[in-house]
Amino acid sequence: MANNKIQHIAIIMDGNGRWAEKRGLTRTEGHYAGSSNVKKIVKASIKYKVKYLSLYAFSTENWKRPKTEINILMKLLSRFIKKETEEFHRNNIRLLVSGDITVMPTGIRNEINRVIELTRNNTKFILNVCLNYGSRDEILNAVRSILKDFKKGKIKEERIDEKLFQKYLYNGELLPDPDLLIRTSGELRISNFLLWQIAYSEFYFTQTLWPDFNEQELGKAIEVYKKRNRRFGGL
Ligand code: IPE
Ligand code: IPE
Ligand code: MG
């Protein structure tokens, strides 16, 4: 029986809106509940000896949503950073952000950069928040950066392999590929998340909506993952 090691979990945190709708609440309240759940899942991940957690918080496609909802998501994000980071720092947790944050409101951007800097040397756990993240955008960015370095003579064409390419992805030098990808809320799609990195990840889809996804559910996902037969193309 397999007993796979688990190092990195990635989660598509979906279903805040439907969670609220089911309760006759506003979407805002759904997002509020969803953002409160993040801390619990960070704690649970540490308890389960996971080392890296990547969370899909805002996609490059989420800008299509109404302005009012986008504003609420940004507010919750800044509230989360203000409220939780001191405790994360005390607990030796490092915060990373993957995505193009140059387009985020200046206040939030400064706050994010401050926290990344503050927690830079923390080693117990890495929380990677994917913000204005899109995998196609990430891959195109990598291609552009590689071209620039090629033109400067920093890299040779023959050296462009998978390992080098990965280094040009967001935090590519720091994050191993996810072992397990979880999506809540019953949707069976990837929605432009980590397309390069999940080539050999195990998938776990659950009907549970993100605000209801708890320590026990995470434990169940990990148990299922551990029993999977990972072959990576071998036998
Ligand atoms: C996930 O919940 C949060 C974000 C995408 C920011 P949704 O807002 O997508 O919730 P549903 O899918 O409408 O239920
Ligand atoms: C994916 O959820 C993005 C995040 C969880 C941040 P969406 O709700 O935006 O995805 P679709 O639109 O259902 O594919
Ligand atoms: Mg959704």
Side-chain angles (χ1 to χ4, degrees), residues 13-16 18 27 65 183 185 187 189:
M13 309 183 287
D14 199 10
N16 294 350
R18 278 162 284 167
R27 289 185 63 86
R65 295 190 181 197
R183 182 167 188 151
S185 90
E187 306 297 355
R189 56 176 170 266

Side-chain angles (χ1 to χ4, degrees), residues 12-21 27 30-31 34 56-59 62 65 69 73 183-185 187 189 209-211:
I12 303 173
M13 309 183 287
D14 199 10
N16 294 350
R18 278 162 284 167
W19 181 90
E21 200 179 318
R27 289 185 63 86
H31 290 312
Y56 206 2
F58 194 89
S59 77
N62 287 147
R65 295 190 181 197
E69 176 155 343
L73 288 166
R183 182 167 188 151
T184 59
S185 90
E187 306 297 355
R189 56 176 170 266
L209 303 169
W210 171 250

Side-chain angles (χ1 to χ4, degrees), residues 90-101:
R90 270 201 309 280
N91 287 301
N92 198 11
I93 296 170
R94 178 173 185 178
L95 188 95
L96 299 176
V97 170
S98 293
D100 178 12
I101 61 163

Side-chain angles (χ1 to χ4, degrees), residues 97-130:
V97 170
S98 293
D100 178 12
I101 61 163
T102 59
V103 299
M104 308 294 281
T106 330
I108 298 184
R109 206 172 64 224
N110 292 340
E111 194 58 22
I112 290 170
N113 287 328
R114 187 187 67 81
V115 175
I116 291 172
E117 205 41 52
L118 174 77
T119 63
R120 180 174 293 278
N121 296 316
N122 293 349
T123 52
K124 183 170 157 199
F125 183 78
I126 292 187
L127 174 62
N128 174 37
V129 180
C130 302

Side-chain angles (χ1 to χ4, degrees), residues 23-211:
R23 286 166 177 73
L25 303 170
T26 59
R27 289 185 63 86
T28 303
E29 289 167 294
H31 290 312
Y32 192 90
S35 88
S36 304
N37 198 37
V38 168
K39 188 178 167 182
K40 291 183 202 153
I41 294 303
V42 169
K43 278 193 180 162
S45 302
I46 294 171
K47 189 174 154 190
Y48 292 128
K49 307 240 180 314
V50 172
K51 176 94 188 182
Y52 306 85
L53 180 67
S54 288
L55 297 177
Y56 206 2
F58 194 89
S59 77
T60 46
E61 287 72 31
N62 287 147
W63 297 104
K64 291 178 192 161
R65 295 190 181 197
K67 191 104 209 285
T68 46
E69 176 155 343
I70 294 172
N71 287 341
I72 280 150
L73 288 166
M74 295 299 150
K75 252 192 211 139
L76 280 172
L77 185 76
S78 117
R79 178 180 155 273
F80 173 81
I81 294 170
K82 287 202 179 104
K83 205 166 150 252
E84 310 299 351
T85 47
E86 296 308 323
E87 190 179 335
F88 284 165
H89 188 44
R90 270 201 309 280
N91 287 301
N92 198 11
I93 296 170
R94 178 173 185 178
L95 188 95
L96 299 176
V97 170
S98 293
D100 178 12
I101 61 163
T102 59
V103 299
M104 308 294 281
T106 330
I108 298 184
R109 206 172 64 224
N110 292 340
E111 194 58 22
I112 290 170
N113 287 328
R114 187 187 67 81
V115 175
I116 291 172
E117 205 41 52
L118 174 77
T119 63
R120 180 174 293 278
N121 296 316
N122 293 349
T123 52
K124 183 170 157 199
F125 183 78
I126 292 187
L127 174 62
N128 174 37
V129 180
C130 302
L131 251 182
N132 189 23
Y133 175 87
S135 194
R136 288 182 170 181
D137 178 63
E138 176 182 41
I139 289 169
L140 287 175
N141 264 321
V143 171
R144 283 187 213 106
S145 304
I146 289 172
L147 255 176
K148 267 191 205 147
D149 284 349
F150 173 75
K151 281 185 190 156
K152 284 187 205 153
K154 278 200 198 166
I155 47 175
K156 292 206 170 74
E157 187 181 334
E158 319 78 82
R159 269 200 54 221
I160 303 174
D161 57 8
E162 290 185 15
K163 213 172 141 211
L164 179 130
F165 193 83
Q166 185 187 330
K167 288 194 176 137
Y168 282 84
L169 299 173
Y170 292 122
N171 299 301
E173 309 233 29
L174 299 170
L175 298 165
D177 287 343
D179 299 297
L180 171 63
L181 174 79
I182 297 172
R183 182 167 188 151
T184 59
S185 90
E187 306 297 355
L188 303 179
R189 56 176 170 266
I190 301 301
S191 304
N192 203 10
F193 195 40
L194 305 175
L195 300 178
W196 173 279
Q197 297 90 333
I198 59 174
Y200 269 103
S201 303
E202 296 294 327
F203 289 4
Y204 181 86
F205 294 101
T206 171
Q207 292 293 329
T208 305
L209 303 169
W210 171 250

